[in-house]
Amino acid sequence: MPGYLVAFASDARLRYPTTAVGLETVVVHLVKSKRFTLLNFAIQTARDAGRILADRMGRALQVSNKGDIDLVTEADLASEKLIIERIKTHYPRHGILAEESGATEGAAAAAGQSEWRWIVDPLDGTTNYAHGYPCFCVSIGLERAGSIEIGVIYDPIRDELFAAERGQGATLNDRSIRVSEVDDLNASMLCTGFPYNVRERPNFVREFEKFTMEAQAVRRDGSAALDLAYLACGRFDGFWEDGLNAWDIAAGILLIEEAGGRVSDFTGGPLSIYTPKVLATNGLIHDRMMQVLAAK
């Protein structure tokens, strides 16, 4: 009688006869199955949270201020509540970093036994949303030991779902995507965002002016996560912004890398999602954008 190796991936039980396959093959399959399960979990959770946002858009919403011009709505909170409860139910050992709730450690993470952390923006583009401007999304990233392994961005208004898994490429509604092939900054369409404390950041105004003169066009849509997703699928050629948080960029950065693009800080150094200065491009105009940012 052959023995069996029994394993669990989320709520699915997998049984492998040990005489039929080698242990190494089983381990590889289990790793892929777990990552596939994590990606599908993130996709479904983002869709469900996005449905909350779409259903509540246009209604009279309770809106409050986190700062002078930084808003939070009841839709942010409802979306985040669904996402956090879903994670705690299916992955209770994982940590969570969410925009409205901050950091929450799972039991295993608190004990130093889990390297996994979900990084969540339940509504990126809150000001747009509060004004009925249909440019916003849900962003969910999954970090493992400092590396983003899963990234999902969902726009419920256009029903566009961007997804990436490290080493497996990036997709838009299940179709592979790549960054653009524009290699001239003068022919490029760029995007950026205005930091909430823009009045205290004179450098931003200078950078915006310089890129407006150097590029074909510059757009500011009010959702950094969507900006990065659009760069990953070739709609934008380059992106820069100062003052972002981890939940703004975690999923989008992986999308760009998996779509063949390049991400760095403003000087070309390695990018940490916990560093506020982000430069992301199709790779072909990256050095030129760094030159513009460095110019006095």
Side-chain angles (χ1 to χ4, degrees), residues 30-257:
L30 287 174
V31 170
K32 290 183 177 180
S33 296
K34 179 176 182 178
R35 290 164 67 94
F36 182 74
T37 301
L38 289 166
L39 178 60
N40 280 336
F41 169 83
I43 287 171
Q44 188 58 55
T45 301
R47 284 193 179 277
D48 291 344
R51 191 173 300 114
I52 289 175
L53 302 182
D55 288 347
R56 298 190 182 202
M57 188 179 182
R59 299 183 187 179
L61 292 171
Q62 181 179 345
V63 181
S64 56
N65 288 71
K66 294 189 289 185
D68 290 340
I69 56 176
D70 193 2
L71 305 179
V72 60
T73 72
E74 60 186 80
D76 292 75
L77 301 176
S79 173
E80 184 167 295
K81 182 174 183 290
L82 178 146
I83 296 169
I84 289 177
E85 288 181 352
R86 191 77 59 81
I87 293 170
K88 287 183 174 180
T89 297
H90 291 273
Y91 299 102
R93 297 170 61 84
H94 291 186
I96 304 170
L97 175 62
E99 179 175 10
E100 308 306 336
S101 304
T104 303
E105 292 189 338
Q113 298 172 351
S114 177
E115 301 174 313
W116 300 90
R117 178 157 76 161
W118 296 88
I119 303 174
V120 175
D121 194 336
L123 171 49
D124 188 56
T126 299
T127 301
N128 290 347
Y129 186 85
H131 286 269
Y133 180 62
C135 183
F136 58 87
C137 65
V138 177
S139 177
I140 300 176
L142 179 59
E143 178 186 43
R144 183 184 186 187
S147 173
I148 303 300
E149 298 295 322
I150 300 290
V152 172
I153 293 173
Y154 181 54
D155 174 356
I157 298 302
R158 296 166 187 80
D159 193 27
E160 291 190 330
L161 190 136
F162 301 84
E165 178 182 350
R166 184 162 298 281
Q168 301 299 315
T171 62
L172 166 54
N173 291 347
D174 295 324
R175 294 187 176 184
S176 296
I177 55 175
R178 297 290 295 176
V179 294
S180 73
E181 297 181 356
V182 176
D183 61 1
D184 182 358
L185 184 58
N186 189 57
S188 299
M189 186 155 76
L190 310 180
C191 56
T192 189
F194 296 170
Y196 284 117
N197 60 344
V198 65
R199 301 180 183 96
E200 304 169 12
R201 292 176 181 261
N203 285 343
F204 172 79
V205 177
R206 287 194 291 269
E207 292 162 359
F208 189 85
E209 180 182 9
K210 287 188 291 185
F211 279 121
T212 300
M213 300 302 293
E214 293 280 349
Q216 186 175 66
V218 179
R219 298 288 181 261
R220 191 272 181 176
D221 289 331
S223 171
L226 270 185
D227 288 343
L228 296 172
Y230 282 13
L231 197 158
C233 71
R235 295 173 184 171
F236 290 134
D237 308 303
F239 169 91
W240 88 99
E241 189 168 346
D242 185 5
L244 293 171
N245 295 294
W247 48 78
D248 298 314
I249 64 173
I253 290 303
L254 181 62
L255 283 167
I256 291 168
E257 290 179 331

